[in-house]
Amino acid sequence: MQDPIKAGLAAGWKHIDASLLARDLSVEADVVIVGSGAGGGVTADILSDAGLHVVLVEEGPLRSSSDFRMREAAAYPELYQESASRKTADKAINILQGRCVGGSTTVNWTSSFRTPPEVFDYWQRQFGLRQLSVESMSSWFAVMEHKLRVRAWDTPPNANNKVLAAGAEKLGIPIGAIKRNVKGCWNLGYCGMGCPTNAKQSMLLTTIPAALQRGASLITRLRAERLRFAGSRVTALDGVALQADGLHPSGRRVHLRARHFVIAGGAIGSPALLLRSGVPDPQRLLGKRTFLHPVLISSALMPERVDAYAGAPQSIYTDHFLHQAPIDGPLGFKLETPPLHPVLYATTLQGFGETHVKLMREFTNVNVLLALLRDGFHPESRGGQVRLGSDGLPVLDYPLGDVIWEAARRALLAMAEIQFAAGARWVTPVHETAPGYSSWAEARTGIAELPLKPLLCRVVSAHVMGGCGMADTPQRGVVDHRGRHFWLGNLSVHDGSVFPTSLGANPQLSIYGLVARNASLLAAELSGRPLPAIL
């Protein structure tokens, strides 16, 4: 099978691996884009199509299907932030984020949802974002769904997802099928390690090659250190070249100048870069209201083999528990089913010694459900804050308060009931003191009594949002509805950091749609060409 990235490089795509630089480098462009994930990739595609000279800066390496061998030991250090072990400051939440060309789109599980209507309504009421609605965004979502092949997944769900479907059906809980951004998918189930068959329509396979084909440049293993600005305009970006390990500076530096700068480093990386740069922030909003979908986990042993590593990783969901209360009431949650691979399962599973070994021995019979808590709407649910550590790198503080734990208990109960309804013979909430339960009655009593606090109850997340929130005025936001910084005229933020809350849905399609809109507005302004007819 041909590797399209290697073929493109052989044909003359402009790629600089900063770890190989023998001397400092200066670069000029129309637009410099920091980050090559969902936001950076879409922006590069649209701006290059408008005839603008674009330079993409990525801290991680360029890897492609030839490198994706479906091996966790290789994939996590190569493709994820902190080898897939990034954590909040108190170590209570493990965060999975991509760190490679394509960002998290290269390693995500392909789940694609539009922004829920109630979220747009809330943003309009609370943040004055009247320009963003289901109606105004539907065409942008449709454009990106077409470009990235977002379709209903018609293949029957694997045994892992069937547990959610069967248990929910027995309890009268409505379910839905998850749309996926894939083309010719082989149904392998190793999406989280990079797609070896080039089926996943990530930025690595779609928008970034399109931009490179038009003459855009890509610089990898380059850490965006600091924006330079004078008055109300950014003048340059200082970058630090990293060694081949992708971690330690090589001593070489790259100086980038442009007419416009787009920050798309994700909802931890983007606020961190702006904080390091000391950009104007008179309301002290930068890095604050950073939201995760805090995820609770329930593990079940089924009577038959599940082989949760095989097949489309996520294909069934239910939003039933998102709609039990008003959006600003007790936290709702979305239920999904993740893939399981030995390292990911073993490092998430609670316990140690013989207890841990016993559960691992039955790995092939394990089903796991996830509950994604929708944070950021309840008055007491204010999320976390990105700050800088002593080395200038980002740290996320994310206190887990009573509002979170109340929802966590409801989520653990809901998942256990569904798993027992589907025929589970043993259910274990991923919690350090949960003994495991052999019946729903036993689980209902036991989970109600579990002590819920950080490090005792396992919480994970793969979705980070906020920190550079949108609003109608600089008194309550960092950027406006277009992603334009309120105080620096030639600075935009194009990623999930602009969301004022979490979404209650996997965020990639929300980022694609919003960034397609905002990058198109920016392209028209910078190129002098008319806006697309879609506007």
Side-chain angles (χ1 to χ4, degrees):
M1 176 181 295
Q2 185 185 45
D3 184 329
I5 302 302
K6 290 192 173 179
L9 293 172
W13 286 355
K14 298 173 185 174
H15 169 235
I16 298 170
D17 182 343
S19 71
L20 302 177
L21 289 175
R23 60 182 65 86
D24 292 353
L25 181 67
S26 294
V27 177
E28 292 203 13
D30 291 319
V31 183
V32 168
I33 303 169
V34 177
S36 64
V42 172
T43 301
D45 183 20
I46 290 171
L47 297 187
S48 63
D49 192 43
L52 297 163
H53 177 213
V54 170
V55 174
L56 263 173
V57 172
E58 169 58 49
E59 187 174 292
L62 174 59
R63 294 289 182 262
S64 57
S65 54
S66 300
D67 306 301
F68 300 150
R69 303 298 178 88
M70 308 191 325
R71 294 175 183 166
E72 291 177 277
Y76 298 155
E78 278 280 293
L79 306 177
Y80 285 79
Q81 289 283 2
E82 302 176 40
S83 299
S85 61
R86 170 169 271 184
K87 297 182 184 296
T88 50
D90 62 359
K91 315 301 182 190
I93 307 175
N94 196 66
I95 301 171
L96 294 176
Q97 280 187 297
R99 184 177 179 265
C100 55
V101 174
S104 292
T105 75
T106 299
V107 295
N108 70 21
W109 299 336
T110 75
S111 301
S112 302
F113 295 92
R114 293 188 179 191
T115 309
E118 62 270 22
V119 173
F120 280 132
D121 293 345
Y122 185 87
W123 289 356
Q124 290 183 16
R125 294 194 310 271
Q126 299 297 321
F127 300 96
L129 296 169
R130 295 181 301 278
Q131 300 88 344
L132 303 180
S133 65
V134 170
E135 295 73 25
S136 68
M137 289 299 299
S138 65
S139 295
W140 293 109
F141 287 136
V143 164
M144 295 310 299
E145 287 164 347
H146 177 74
K147 179 184 287 287
L148 302 178
R149 302 282 298 188
V150 174
R151 301 284 190 278
W153 179 246
D154 295 328
T155 302
N158 65 3
N160 197 30
N161 282 268
K162 281 180 182 176
V163 172
L164 174 56
E169 182 179 8
K170 190 167 182 180
L171 296 172
I173 296 170
I175 60 169
I178 298 176
K179 292 183 178 181
R180 307 180 63 223
N181 60 311
V182 294
K183 178 182 178 182
C185 177
W186 291 23
N187 207 24
L188 296 176
Y190 285 73
C191 307
M193 290 160 236
C195 180
T197 67
N198 295 313
K200 186 194 302 187
Q201 300 299 286
S202 66
M203 301 300 92
L204 177 66
L205 262 293
T206 56
T207 58
I208 292 173
L212 292 172
Q213 195 68 31
R214 300 186 193 105
S217 299
L218 171 66
I219 307 177
T220 56
R221 290 197 176 106
L222 183 67
R223 177 173 294 152
E225 183 181 50
R226 187 180 305 275
L227 293 165
R228 303 289 179 182
F229 57 94
S232 62
R233 294 189 65 80
V234 178
T235 57
L237 171 69
D238 293 335
V240 175
L242 301 176
Q243 297 177 27
D245 63 8
L247 300 173
H248 301 96
S250 70
R252 303 302 177 193
R253 304 187 67 83
V254 178
H255 187 73
L256 301 106
R257 301 183 65 86
R259 293 165 55 195
H260 199 94
F261 294 82
V262 175
I263 310 305
I268 292 178
S270 289
L273 173 57
L274 299 183
L275 286 166
R276 278 197 301 273
S277 304
V279 301
D281 182 28
Q283 304 299 319
R284 303 289 184 185
L285 298 175
L286 190 54
K288 295 180 180 175
R289 288 189 62 82
T290 299
F291 291 103
L292 302 172
H293 288 141
V295 171
L296 286 305
I297 312 165
S298 185
S299 173
L301 293 179
M302 306 304 293
E304 64 287 324
R305 286 184 70 122
V306 176
D307 294 337
Y309 51 83
Q314 290 183 323
S315 57
I316 300 294
Y317 76 100
T318 179
D319 281 348
H320 174 74
F321 301 98
L322 279 176
H323 306 303
Q324 303 300 294
I327 194 169
D328 56 357
L331 273 57
F333 50 89
K334 186 186 203 81
L335 295 187
E336 296 176 343
T337 304
L340 290 186
H341 298 280
V343 174
L344 184 63
Y345 181 57
T347 55
T348 305
L349 194 63
Q350 78 277 16
F352 58 91
E354 183 56 36
T355 303
H356 195 276
V357 170
K358 181 180 178 182
L359 291 170
M360 286 301 299
R361 283 196 185 111
E362 301 206 65
F363 173 71
T364 56
N365 284 61
V366 174
N367 156 263
V368 165
L369 297 185
L370 299 180
L372 290 72
L373 304 188
R374 183 174 59 188
D375 202 5
F377 300 87
H378 190 283
E380 296 176 27
S381 138
R382 298 185 180 134
Q385 178 177 352
V386 174
R387 57 180 175 82
L388 299 178
S390 59
D391 56 1
L393 297 180
V395 177
L396 175 60
D397 291 309
Y398 209 94
L400 295 170
D402 292 343
V403 173
I404 295 284
W405 293 126
E406 185 276 333
R409 196 179 305 276
R410 284 187 283 110
L412 292 173
L413 285 164
M415 290 187 287
E417 184 175 15
I418 287 171
Q419 288 168 318
F420 278 118
R425 54 186 172 86
W426 187 263
V427 171
T428 309
V430 181
H431 182 291
E432 292 300 326
T433 68
Y437 311 106
S438 59
S439 69
W440 165 231
E442 188 181 357
R444 183 171 52 201
T445 300
I447 293 171
E449 296 174 352
L450 280 178
L452 299 182
K453 61 181 182 179
L455 302 176
L456 202 57
C457 182
R458 191 65 58 90
V459 181
V460 301
S461 188
H463 305 152
V464 192
M465 297 149 280
C468 299
M470 296 182 288
D472 57 344
T473 69
Q475 283 69 44
R476 53 182 180 174
V478 175
V479 299
D480 67 13
H481 66 94
R482 305 166 300 162
R484 299 293 285 270
H485 194 271
F486 279 119
W487 304 100
L488 295 171
N490 64 334
L491 177 64
S492 297
V493 182
H494 285 186
D495 59 23
S497 70
V498 304
F499 297 156
T501 62
S502 76
L503 304 174
N506 308 57
Q508 72 161 345
L509 183 53
S510 291
I511 299 172
Y512 292 147
L514 182 63
V515 170
R517 170 191 186 268
N518 292 349
S520 296
L521 290 167
L522 179 60
E525 177 184 332
L526 296 178
S527 69
R529 297 182 181 183
L531 291 170
I534 194 171
L535 285 169

